[in-house]
Amino acid sequence: MNNNLERELNKVQNDLRSKIKLNNTFSPEEVALVAGVDLAYWTEDNIDYAVCCIQVLDYQTKQVVDKAEYTGIVEFPYISGYLAFRELPFVLKAVDKLEYIPDIYMFDGNGYLHSRHMGIATQASFELGKPTVGVAKTYLKINNVDFTMPENKVGAFKDIVIENEVYGRVLRSRVDVKPIFISCGNWIDLDTATDITMHFVEQESRLPVTTRFADLATHEARRRHQNKLTQKP
């Protein structure tokens, strides 16, 4: 990676880092709409493409009330630790297509659980102006610190503590399946992020339906766009 680019990206993230607030700026009882956000990638003729899908769910009924997607060519290179810069343009363009404004965004990925506390969920919050949560399927190891597996009971968790600071949480959303990894994005505390995540977990998956539906939508959108590309004369 170009050293000047690395310094520039570091500066952006470190400037934002000082503005992170890991406390609720909203009343949990008033949450009405929660969005799940995910992206998928593919390559065609040496060109990288991505699609961002957003599914907005009613908090009480858990039904999808709005959805949007945006597909385009990936302009930013893959750089470990700086994925937000690659994904954020797609997220914002998909958000622009929504009819309803979610109260909270849940990302398939990390937030505060990041070497600079600037995973996609956190960095996106500053553009979205809304509380965010990161829900990851796999563990992002930081400073060679492993996580402690929670007991095999629904709702059991262990905090991920690195250098005496809580970065996130390992959450057992269902018994007899792998845990998921919860982290605050911004303007929300970890207990509330956990409660909202568990609220949306159903029997079909260890993932909350918010990010699960977004994940399924990205796979379908990727198949659809790949088919269009391969069917070109």
Side-chain angles (χ1 to χ4, degrees):
M1 181 173 61
N2 180 281
N3 287 335
N4 289 332
L5 177 59
E6 182 177 4
R7 284 194 293 269
E8 181 182 336
L9 301 183
N10 262 293
K11 185 178 187 309
V12 170
Q13 291 193 333
N14 286 326
D15 286 349
L16 291 175
R17 178 176 175 173
S18 65
K19 302 174 184 177
I20 299 171
K21 296 186 184 300
L22 302 185
N23 56 273
N24 295 342
T25 58
F26 61 96
S27 171
E29 295 78 18
E30 296 177 358
V31 173
L33 299 176
V34 180
V37 185
D38 194 20
L39 286 88
Y41 295 88
W42 69 95
T43 302
E44 188 76 26
D45 295 331
N46 294 318
I47 299 174
D48 293 330
Y49 294 86
V51 59
C52 175
C53 291
I54 301 176
Q55 304 275 309
V56 181
L57 278 67
D58 181 283
Y59 186 83
Q60 296 300 329
T61 67
K62 303 178 187 177
Q63 297 300 304
V64 176
V65 298
D66 196 6
K67 61 181 69 175
E69 71 176 63
Y70 175 79
T71 304
I73 295 174
V74 179
E75 304 288 350
F76 198 90
Y78 173 78
I79 306 171
S80 178
Y82 299 95
L83 193 60
F85 292 96
R86 183 176 169 94
E87 297 191 337
L88 194 49
F90 291 86
V91 173
L92 297 179
K93 287 176 180 176
V95 167
D96 284 343
K97 295 184 174 186
L98 291 175
E99 181 179 352
Y100 297 104
I101 299 175
D103 299 303
I104 295 173
Y105 289 84
M106 300 179 72
F107 286 79
D108 187 324
N110 293 300
Y112 204 72
L113 182 56
H114 179 274
S115 58
R116 289 173 300 282
H117 299 318
M118 203 55 63
I120 180 62
T122 303
Q123 192 159 334
S125 70
F126 294 102
E127 298 287 345
L128 299 171
K130 292 290 183 178
T132 53
V133 177
V135 182
K137 298 186 282 288
T138 57
Y139 179 54
L140 175 66
K141 186 182 285 190
I142 299 168
N143 294 350
N144 208 35
V145 175
D146 287 314
F147 67 88
T148 301
M149 188 70 75
E151 62 180 302
N152 192 20
K153 183 175 70 174
V154 172
F157 64 83
K158 293 287 187 180
D159 286 347
I160 300 166
V161 181
I162 302 170
E163 295 180 354
N164 298 316
E165 182 180 12
V166 176
Y167 276 53
R169 179 169 286 176
V170 192
L171 174 65
R172 184 80 71 177
S173 57
R174 292 185 62 201
V175 297
D176 298 328
V177 296
K178 294 178 181 179
I180 55 178
F181 303 89
I182 308 301
S183 56
C184 302
N186 203 1
W187 303 315
I188 190 170
D189 64 44
L190 191 52
D191 286 339
T192 303
T194 302
D195 290 343
I196 290 174
T197 299
M198 285 301 304
H199 172 78
F200 282 107
V201 172
E202 300 191 329
Q203 291 301 312
E204 295 80 6
S205 173
R206 64 188 171 126
L207 300 172
V209 288
T210 44
T211 56
R212 176 171 174 259
F213 287 171
D215 176 71
L216 293 171
T218 61
H219 285 79
E220 172 57 32
R222 179 168 58 189
R223 283 193 295 269
R224 188 170 66 250
H225 287 287
Q226 284 178 316
N227 289 338
K228 285 181 182 178
L229 290 169
T230 57
Q231 291 170 7
K232 285 183 178 180

